[in-house]
Amino acid sequence: MLVVPSQKKIVDAAMLTQCGEALQNIYDEMFLLDFSCGALRTIFYTPGRLLFAQQQDAAAFAPQQMLASYVHPDDQAQFYRFFQRDQLQQLQSRAASKCVLQFRHKEKEGAYIWMEVTAMAVPSLGDMRVLCCVRDVDEQKQAEHANAVLQRENEALARAFSNIYLTIVELDLRSEQASVIKSSSHMGMQGAQQPWMQLLRYYCNRHIQLEDFQQVLETFSTKALRQMLKSGRRSRTLEARCRFDSDLYAWVELSVVAIGPPEEQKLLLTSRDIHEQRLLRSIVDRFVYQNCDYFVYLDARRNSYVMISENDKLTPVLPPSSGDYWAEVEAFAHRYVAPEDRETYLREMSLTHVMEVLEHQSDHTFFFGMIDPERGYSRKRQQFMYYDKANAMLLLTRIDVTRIYLDEQKRSNQLREALQQARTDALTTLFNYRTIGDLITSALQANRHAQSALLFIDLDNFKQVNDTLGHLEGDKLLQRFAEALRRTVRPRDLVGRAGGDEFIVYLLDIPAHEHVAQCAARLLDVVAQLRDARLDALEVSCSIGIALYPQDGTEYRELVDKADKALYYAKAMGKKRFAFYSKEMRCHSQGSMVTAIDSQR
């Protein structure tokens, strides 16, 4: 008795017997094409999977009618050719031969699945008949496609893996034999098999720098690798300096990793170029982390942060993480920030202010001073920048710039000192002749509507001091007189040394002529107070010539020239006195002083 699966419905049991029971387990559908009458006779089919077969005993076969409704557009041409009468009748000339077609069939739901039709010539059925068997191969095709994709992906991964490494070696510790999978430095060695220790020594002798030779040899010896596996470790890495195509050494990373189960004792050894990576890491370590106190990942929306890295130097920093950024900033400011910078620090660290600045600039940077318990005063550079602008994520860094700050302070002081030396007289520290002239010129241009006076002063009998007491005592007298000038005039007035024992005083914004006379009289008294036992016999005093602005002139050189004339007039009148410049020098005695009065005044 013929037994068939329950899901099959037999239409022609006799024909099924002829074709064989086994076909039912392989195919979803079977039908016979009779070219003598152009009919299709169904042998069996699977309900819900009726493709060609008709439930009636015989029907006309018209494959062209199936194309638009059931066959995928890309498969229609080959489907039509497959079922051409001439094509199938060629099977009759080749006994027991067959031809196969795979195509995509449209299901009721509209999706396409892969089907396979096998057409076979069966001599016992007659010359005009072809047996067609249909089966669902969709899962098979999907699996083939997945395998193809997986194979391509694996090949891509293998290529990527291979490209990373300079050398790849597979080692069987049981036999101590190594297979060279890849060798960038010796292409001829790829595929070679050698004893591992022999290959390792060859590699070390040819490539490894002498200082690293012994460490590489010991780390990757068969003895060391067996101990590694015995301890439960499955990998090991070592950095060493290697030489390849030139005499220059570059850093490489040598790695070993166990592959497969432990009992197989198979290892994969690789080397890869890390020279650029190590160089960048060295640059970062030396030039970034050396002076960088920390990196902080800051969530501006949630007012929280996490410290990514922190320098191990003893310098106060924010706590490693916090859900309240601003509270930590305030606490830090009042504890560590220098008092003079505290207000600035709190303003610049405010997230509202930071976000406003970052709307217009790529980063927000400011400087502040910090009182460090370990290092004393230090200078810091604080910087904010966006990491993820859409989500208001910021990176915050703080860099120590104390050395730079102190160097700049030192240079600034040196520059200030150099400028001071260039502008002042070395002996008296008053403004030198060039500087006093520039300053008076600037003052005249800035105060065109204010009265002023230029006093030209000369120490009387100064040559006798040098000749009698020596130049050292003469210099001391000049220094004492210069200091007395500074004390006598107002802070805003200008005092300079014209050279030798001559000095210039410029009085700004004088309210009246009498104030100039009072100042000149005080200067005469100052010299009298400088007297001591050694100077008494020399009768040291001073004479003063005065020119007024704008009456006597509006330019510096003009005022100096006229004050100089008045000075010589005062000396001619007996020294130890002052004189105003006048076109007609008529003398008028007033106690201890002689005043030249302009006839037009």
Side-chain angles (χ1 to χ4, degrees):
M1 180 177 178
L2 181 63
V3 179
V4 297
S6 59
Q7 67 271 27
K8 312 292 185 183
K9 292 188 178 180
I10 300 175
V11 176
D12 192 332
M15 186 61 67
L16 176 60
T17 302
Q18 281 186 302
C19 296
E21 300 177 19
L23 296 177
Q24 300 173 74
N25 297 321
I26 299 174
Y27 296 103
D28 298 314
E29 181 177 336
M30 183 181 292
F31 60 91
L32 187 69
L33 286 178
D34 188 341
F35 289 106
S36 61
C37 60
L40 178 151
R41 291 184 61 190
T42 301
I43 300 171
F44 69 81
Y45 70 93
T46 303
R49 281 291 175 86
L50 184 64
L51 301 178
F52 299 90
Q54 308 296 318
Q55 294 189 35
Q56 60 269 34
D57 186 45
F61 177 63
Q64 65 273 17
Q65 296 177 3
M66 301 178 59
L67 295 178
S69 301
Y70 300 107
V71 181
H72 193 281
D74 294 344
D75 301 332
Q76 289 180 6
Q78 61 177 344
F79 182 88
Y80 183 74
R81 285 196 303 272
F82 184 85
F83 284 104
Q84 291 297 302
R85 177 172 179 170
D86 295 341
Q87 180 76 12
L88 292 176
Q89 280 187 324
Q90 290 179 10
L91 294 172
Q92 301 296 334
S93 62
R94 302 189 298 273
S97 63
K98 65 180 180 179
C99 57
V100 179
L101 168 68
Q102 290 185 345
F103 68 97
R104 281 160 289 187
H105 178 271
K106 189 176 184 180
E107 300 242 285
K108 291 180 180 180
E109 295 81 7
Y112 287 94
I113 65 168
W114 281 95
M115 304 297 295
E116 181 182 270
V117 179
T118 304
M120 297 177 287
V122 184
S124 62
L125 298 177
D127 295 340
M128 300 296 291
R129 294 179 178 180
V130 174
L131 187 65
C132 293
C133 304
V134 183
R135 68 187 181 105
D136 180 351
V137 293
D138 194 64
E139 289 186 6
Q140 175 187 329
K141 292 291 286 187
Q142 296 292 346
E144 290 175 357
H145 175 71
N147 288 335
V149 171
L150 183 60
Q151 183 177 357
R152 288 196 297 271
E153 290 177 349
N154 288 340
E155 289 174 355
L157 287 172
R159 285 194 299 273
F161 177 83
S162 178
N163 290 336
I164 292 173
Y165 296 102
L166 302 169
T167 307
I168 304 175
V169 176
E170 185 178 346
L171 170 61
D172 186 340
L173 270 181
R174 292 178 299 182
S175 64
E176 298 187 6
Q177 290 292 310
S179 300
V180 181
I181 299 173
K182 178 183 178 181
S183 177
S184 299
S185 55
H186 303 288
M187 299 299 293
M189 291 188 64
Q190 291 188 184
Q193 292 189 348
Q194 292 185 14
W196 168 239
M197 290 307 298
Q198 177 182 327
L199 181 63
L200 180 60
R201 287 192 181 92
Y202 171 82
Y203 181 85
C204 289
N205 285 324
R206 191 175 181 89
H207 299 296
I208 300 298
Q209 192 177 33
L210 185 61
E211 288 83 350
D212 300 332
F213 180 94
Q214 195 61 35
Q215 186 179 11
V216 172
L217 202 62
E218 292 175 358
T219 302
F220 296 103
S221 67
T222 52
K223 179 181 178 181
L225 294 177
R226 284 196 177 100
Q227 289 176 345
M228 180 190 79
L229 293 177
K230 187 176 181 180
S231 67
R233 294 182 58 188
R234 295 182 60 82
S235 64
R236 179 174 291 171
T237 300
L238 176 68
E239 292 182 358
R241 286 156 290 187
C242 290
R243 181 181 60 198
F244 292 102
D245 298 331
S246 67
D247 292 333
L248 297 176
Y249 281 94
W251 283 94
V252 297
E253 181 186 78
L254 305 173
S255 301
V256 59
V257 60
I259 55 176
E263 60 271 14
E264 291 187 2
Q265 295 190 21
K266 287 190 176 182
L267 304 170
L268 194 68
L269 297 108
T270 59
S271 69
R272 67 185 183 98
D273 184 355
I274 59 167
H275 192 72
E276 182 176 350
Q277 174 185 336
R278 189 181 176 97
L279 177 62
L280 290 174
R281 190 173 66 209
S282 175
I283 292 172
V284 170
D285 289 342
R286 292 186 182 186
F287 298 101
V288 178
Y289 286 111
Q290 182 178 7
N291 291 318
C292 184
D293 296 335
Y294 56 65
F295 283 96
V296 168
Y297 183 63
L298 175 58
D299 187 337
R301 289 180 180 171
R302 294 180 175 83
N303 190 42
S304 62
Y305 70 87
V306 175
M307 194 169 291
I308 302 171
S309 64
E310 177 186 348
N311 199 318
D312 58 1
K313 294 179 180 178
L314 294 176
T315 180
V317 297
L318 297 171
S321 63
S322 174
D324 193 340
Y325 159 82
W326 184 243
E328 300 295 349
V329 167
E330 286 187 310
F332 182 88
H334 289 96
R335 186 172 182 182
Y336 297 113
V337 176
E340 64 272 16
D341 293 334
R342 196 166 294 157
E343 183 179 347
T344 299
Y345 178 83
L346 290 171
R347 182 182 67 251
E348 300 298 330
M349 291 290 285
S350 163
L351 287 178
T352 302
H353 178 71
V354 170
M355 302 299 277
E356 289 176 355
V357 173
L358 291 180
E359 281 298 311
H360 306 285
Q361 299 175 191
S362 60
D363 67 282
H364 170 47
T365 303
F366 68 95
F367 297 84
F368 69 95
M370 201 173 94
I371 307 300
D372 188 326
E374 299 293 332
R375 301 168 58 193
Y377 182 87
S378 60
R379 196 74 179 170
K380 302 295 182 180
R381 176 180 181 266
Q382 196 87 49
Q383 183 179 33
F384 292 83
M385 65 189 75
Y386 269 121
Y387 172 75
D388 181 352
K389 187 172 183 179
N391 293 305
M393 295 295 186
L394 308 175
L395 284 179
L396 168 61
T397 64
R398 195 183 78 190
I399 297 174
D400 189 278
V401 293
T402 304
R403 182 184 299 176
I404 299 173
Y405 173 74
L406 293 177
D407 288 345
E408 288 180 350
Q409 290 289 97
K410 183 179 179 181
R411 283 194 295 269
S412 179
N413 291 335
Q414 289 173 342
L415 181 62
R416 190 182 301 109
E417 290 174 4
L419 182 60
Q420 182 72 9
Q421 290 175 2
R423 298 181 62 182
T424 59
D425 171 60
L427 178 64
T428 64
T429 70
L430 297 177
F431 291 121
N432 58 31
Y433 181 71
R434 179 176 179 178
T435 303
I436 192 68
D438 292 341
L439 293 174
I440 294 174
T441 299
S442 298
L444 287 169
Q445 293 173 351
N447 298 277
R448 286 295 183 185
H449 303 293
Q451 289 192 92
S452 59
L454 189 146
L455 283 62
F456 204 95
I457 307 171
D458 182 85
L459 284 175
D460 302 325
N461 305 321
F462 181 71
K463 186 176 183 302
Q464 295 181 24
V465 175
N466 280 337
D467 293 344
T468 305
L469 302 178
H471 287 279
L472 182 60
E473 288 299 325
D475 289 346
K476 289 181 179 179
L477 176 61
L478 292 174
Q479 289 173 336
R480 291 167 62 195
F481 180 63
E483 182 59 32
L485 286 178
R486 264 193 291 255
R487 293 196 309 267
T488 304
V489 301
R490 299 168 300 181
R492 61 178 177 173
D493 295 328
L494 302 174
V495 182
R497 183 185 180 193
D501 60 340
E502 295 178 334
F503 296 84
I504 293 176
V505 173
Y506 183 68
L507 305 177
L508 291 89
D509 300 326
I510 56 173
H513 171 274
E514 290 76 13
H515 288 80
V516 181
Q518 293 171 4
C519 179
R522 284 196 303 272
L523 292 175
L524 294 176
D525 293 338
V526 162
V527 178
Q529 295 172 10
L530 294 177
R531 298 179 62 83
D532 59 30
R534 290 171 299 176
L535 297 174
D536 285 344
L538 300 176
E539 297 184 0
V540 175
S541 60
C542 74
S543 299
I544 304 172
I546 304 170
L548 300 176
Y549 169 87
Q551 296 94 317
D552 299 329
T554 58
E555 302 298 331
Y556 169 68
R557 292 307 311 171
E558 187 178 8
L559 293 173
V560 168
D561 182 62
K562 291 180 177 179
D564 187 44
K565 287 181 171 60
L567 170 64
Y568 276 97
Y569 178 79
K571 281 184 172 292
M573 295 302 295
K575 303 179 182 180
K576 199 167 53 177
R577 62 199 67 218
F578 66 86
F580 285 88
Y581 171 78
S582 175
K583 291 179 181 179
E584 298 178 2
M585 306 297 290
R586 290 184 295 111
C587 297
H588 177 69
S589 177
Q590 292 187 358
S592 63
M593 56 185 165
V594 176
T595 305
I597 303 175
D598 191 328
S599 61
Q600 298 178 4
R601 288 190 185 135

